[in-house]
Amino acid sequence: MQLDHYSTNFNKQIFPVKVICENVTNAPNIGSLFRTADAFGVEELVFCGSNIPLGRKMTKTSRATEKTVKYRLENNAQPVISQLKATGYFIIALEITSKSEALIDFQFPTNKPIALVIGDENFGVQDAILNLCDAIIHIDMFGQNSSMNVVQATSISLYELTKQLNKS
């Protein structure tokens, strides 16, 4: 029998993980990021950019999770990442580069908090941000396309990250 939202026996847990969203500006994606952050126990979403739509189009996909997931708005991702790094966060970008490691092979640190940086829907994570990161990971893909939707990629990455953190 299918369980409803009130009958599941999932243990609520918040992981020491922040998701830094660099210029993610599509309202349905932002709403979906709230749902993803809620599902994977992310401690905070940080939306960086000058035009972050948090209106009706966003709430249509967030399904009220923006009321329970901690978040903040910042103008620029670089100072946010520098500050997190200075306070002991391990900074990981989700991006395909010549130096990125496959998510399936990556061992997330379990002894320090993590900031996962995701990028603009069209242009990804800027090089200046990539240079601040301790690691860059990508998701192996087997089709003709070289990228996937930012929310799908974030969900896949958070699944693996929280799976590893939950085992430690």
Side-chain angles (χ1 to χ4, degrees):
M1 170 173 35
Q2 183 180 14
L3 298 177
D4 63 25
H5 296 292
Y6 308 103
S7 308
T8 61
N9 58 356
F10 298 124
N11 293 324
K12 292 190 185 302
Q13 185 173 352
I14 300 293
F15 290 94
V17 175
K18 293 181 187 283
V19 177
I20 313 304
C21 310
E22 181 201 11
N23 293 316
V24 175
T25 58
N26 176 278
N29 282 345
I30 291 170
S32 293
L33 284 168
F34 274 106
R35 287 186 75 182
T36 296
D38 177 67
F40 289 106
V42 168
E43 77 177 1
E44 184 180 35
L45 284 170
V46 183
F47 295 103
C48 303
S50 57
N51 191 18
I52 309 298
L54 296 177
R56 187 181 56 77
K57 287 183 180 179
M58 181 278 297
T59 58
K60 201 170 180 184
T61 53
S62 69
R63 301 210 31 193
T65 53
E66 80 282 359
K67 295 175 183 172
T68 59
V69 172
K70 183 178 173 187
Y71 73 94
R72 63 185 156 122
L73 302 175
E74 298 288 346
N75 286 327
N76 188 330
Q78 278 185 281
V80 171
I81 293 166
S82 295
Q83 190 271 335
L84 289 172
K85 194 168 188 151
T87 59
Y89 275 77
F90 190 83
I91 313 296
I92 304 169
L94 177 57
E95 186 61 77
I96 300 170
T97 73
S98 59
K99 297 179 182 178
S100 59
E101 299 177 56
L103 172 65
I104 196 165
D105 298 323
F106 190 77
Q107 293 299 305
F108 290 93
T110 57
N111 60 341
K112 54 175 60 179
I114 295 170
L116 179 66
V117 181
I118 61 172
D120 180 287
E121 287 97 336
N122 296 310
F123 305 110
V125 179
Q126 295 178 46
D127 285 341
I129 300 294
L130 293 174
N131 291 333
L132 295 174
C133 294
D134 299 305
I136 304 169
I137 59 172
H138 68 263
I139 298 166
D140 285 338
M141 296 178 54
F142 304 101
Q144 292 188 13
N145 198 352
S146 65
S147 68
M148 64 176 57
N149 175 275
V150 66
V151 179
Q152 292 170 335
T154 302
S155 298
I156 292 166
S157 300
L158 287 172
Y159 174 82
E160 180 62 27
L161 193 164
T162 56
K163 182 178 82 171
Q164 288 185 26
L165 291 180
N166 212 25
K167 286 182 179 178
S168 65

